[in-house]
Amino acid sequence: MSFNASPHAYDHAFEATLESIRSEGRYRVFTDLERIAGAFPNALSRRTGKKVTVWCANDYLGMGQHEVVLSAMQQALAEMGAGAGGTRNISGNHSRMVELEKTIAELHGKDAALVFTSGYVANEAALSTIGSVLDDCVIFSDAQNHASMIHGIRHSGAEKKVFRHNDVDHLAKLLASVDAKRPKIIAFESVYSMDGDIGPIREICALARQYHALTYLDEVHAVGMYGDNGAGIARRDGLEDEVDIIQGTLAKAYGVIGGYVASRASIIDTIRSCAPGFIFTTALPPAIAAGAEASIRYLMRSSHEREAHQQNAATLKTILSDAGIPIMQTPTHIVPVMVNDASLCKKASDMLLEEHQIYVQPINYPTVRKGSERLRFTPTPLHSEEMMLSLRDALLQVFSELNIPLSRADTSRAYA
């Protein structure tokens, strides 16, 4: 059937796509929230005017409202103005960016670092550049890698081989199937954000040495929160020196925005010199860079936030599990509550917000597989036990009203 290229025909195609998404119960609606300085994890619903408790923020440690970060940003704003003025090639390398990249390199014990406007851009630009520069390269990608990694690998033009999630034996077979002389990159994550599991970094690094491959590790859900200085899981497990390229974000535990890669000087300089996603993008403003650098420095010194964070994650898992709420047991701070139905997941999220002033987004396809829909909770050091108990009671009530099954028959624990 030919396409009638009229404005109406174009709109019909777009509306058909949206209707398909709506019919599957995965149409995304943004909740209009106003963050309140000094009140995190509370926010104000712009629609109802009521205070809500936010349970799904990636500001994992509340650093987005920490005085150290705010002070650094305010000072840089007053001294250097709002914007960076353009790309770093055109407008120059402002001093806050230089300091930020030095601090990131120090954090990870690497020669150099390069900052991007987001973690997504960092992954896409770095992987696409490295894969294209290495002639006849093969990139081995974990099946559950983030979309930014997948797109970067695709744009590199390199051959891609996908290994089953965290399956070291499958990875070994794929590595063995490739000519030993071909360049190889193994791309994987430390903390996988939807299931909250951890990649087998030690085993993958051993395979990389055996098959002379580069390792590319995404630590976005771990930097700031694991390791003695907040450098991530690789640092925590004493494996940082084994990893060739570490990618991270400034937008989660560090509470600001931006992404980065840290590695050997030659690798960083190659990405800086060749990646369109870096060359043609306006640099982060000085205030953002200053806030991020202050946040990293603070968390390199302070372990209090990390310890409180882990304690609260463990407490929430116990409270929900004891109530029969079907959580996925994870070794990390991520607490997925399984609903396994897109429509029910959206309804549960709506009811929690409208009836209980609890905000958590439904996680549906394509972020997770169809049939594995969930509510993803990310407790912070600033969530109190009272908040956790209120969340438990609200979940029990919503699950009961929607006939979402619990983990066990005993659901006698009272709820409001």
Side-chain angles (χ1 to χ4, degrees), residues 249-408:
T249 185
L250 305 170
K252 293 182 171 58
Y254 294 125
V256 195
I257 192 170
Y260 63 84
V261 288
S263 186
R264 297 191 291 276
S266 60
I267 293 175
I268 294 300
D269 201 15
T270 298
I271 298 169
R272 182 190 69 85
S273 301
C274 301
F278 173 79
I279 295 170
F280 300 107
T281 300
T282 298
L284 289 181
I288 298 294
E293 200 271 341
S295 186
I296 294 171
R297 282 285 176 200
Y298 176 84
L299 289 173
M300 287 173 73
R301 300 188 304 269
S302 175
S303 62
H304 168 72
E305 290 76 11
R306 284 188 287 279
E307 292 167 358
H309 183 246
Q310 289 297 315
Q311 180 58 56
N312 274 4
T315 299
L316 181 64
K317 290 175 186 177
T318 298
I319 288 172
L320 297 186
S321 182
D322 286 352
I325 294 166
I327 70 168
M328 181 183 291
Q329 294 293 344
T330 75
T332 62
H333 58 282
I334 293 166
V335 185
V337 170
M338 305 307 296
V339 178
N340 303 321
D341 179 278
S343 180
L344 287 177
C345 199
K346 178 67 169 63
K347 288 178 181 177
S349 172
D350 290 344
M351 290 176 66
L352 286 167
L353 181 61
E354 293 168 8
E355 299 176 17
H356 301 277
Q357 288 73 57
I358 288 171
Y359 175 61
V360 60
Q361 268 293 83
I363 305 295
N364 293 336
Y365 177 85
T367 307
V368 295
R369 296 180 302 279
K370 291 182 179 180
S372 67
E373 293 81 8
R374 65 200 65 181
L375 302 170
R376 176 182 173 271
F377 294 91
T378 53
T380 73
L382 302 175
H383 283 91
S384 66
E385 186 171 353
E386 180 182 1
M387 290 176 180
M388 297 183 199
L389 294 174
S390 295
L391 172 62
R392 174 202 65 192
D393 294 344
L395 281 169
L396 286 173
Q397 182 170 326
V398 167
F399 273 42
S400 175
E401 291 182 20
L402 294 177
N403 292 316
I404 300 171
L406 298 180
S407 293
R408 55 184 173 81

Side-chain angles (χ1 to χ4, degrees), residues 72-269:
M73 294 181 72
Q74 289 162 356
Q75 181 179 345
L77 184 63
E79 292 176 356
M80 303 181 70
T87 69
R88 291 164 73 177
N89 293 300
I90 290 173
S91 294
N93 222 12
H94 63 73
S95 60
R96 299 299 193 275
M97 185 69 78
V98 174
E99 293 164 7
L100 173 59
E101 289 178 341
K102 287 181 179 178
T103 297
I104 292 170
E106 179 185 340
L107 171 72
H108 292 294
K110 300 298 183 187
D111 293 341
L114 190 67
V115 168
F116 297 81
T117 51
S118 73
Y120 189 105
V121 174
N123 266 335
E124 198 282 331
L127 282 166
S128 63
T129 299
I130 298 166
S132 63
V133 166
L134 296 172
D135 187 44
D136 200 28
C137 180
V138 184
I139 302 180
F140 301 82
S141 176
D142 187 284
Q144 289 193 21
N145 275 344
H146 191 266
S148 57
M149 301 175 76
I150 295 169
H151 292 164
I153 294 166
R154 181 181 300 147
H155 294 159
S156 74
E159 181 181 353
K160 178 180 72 172
K161 291 184 178 293
V162 178
F163 59 95
R164 291 187 292 270
H165 178 54
N166 282 351
D167 190 332
V168 178
D169 291 337
H170 187 215
L171 173 60
K173 291 178 182 177
L174 292 177
L175 286 164
S177 71
V178 173
D179 188 328
K181 296 180 181 179
R182 296 181 67 182
K184 305 171 186 68
I185 302 169
I186 305 172
F188 63 112
E189 301 183 33
S190 59
V191 174
Y192 288 85
S193 63
M194 290 301 120
D195 288 353
D197 55 340
I198 296 175
I201 302 173
R202 187 180 306 278
E203 293 83 354
I204 288 177
C205 287
L207 282 176
R209 290 194 301 273
Q210 180 181 347
Y211 289 96
H212 307 290
L214 288 175
T215 47
Y216 183 103
L217 177 63
D218 178 316
E219 288 252 43
V220 298
H221 290 275
V223 290
M225 296 178 292
Y226 298 89
D228 57 3
N229 66 345
I233 298 292
R235 167 61 69 91
R236 184 197 71 177
D237 294 349
L239 299 168
E240 204 168 52
D241 291 342
E242 300 289 323
V243 179
D244 294 294
I245 305 158
I246 292 176
Q247 184 267 345
T249 185
L250 305 170
K252 293 182 171 58
Y254 294 125
V256 195
I257 192 170
Y260 63 84
V261 288
S263 186
R264 297 191 291 276
S266 60
I267 293 175
I268 294 300
D269 201 15

Side-chain angles (χ1 to χ4, degrees), residues 52-66:
V52 301
T53 303
V54 178
W55 276 100
C56 55
N58 285 339
D59 188 358
Y60 291 135
L61 302 179
M63 292 299 294
Q65 302 202 17
H66 197 285

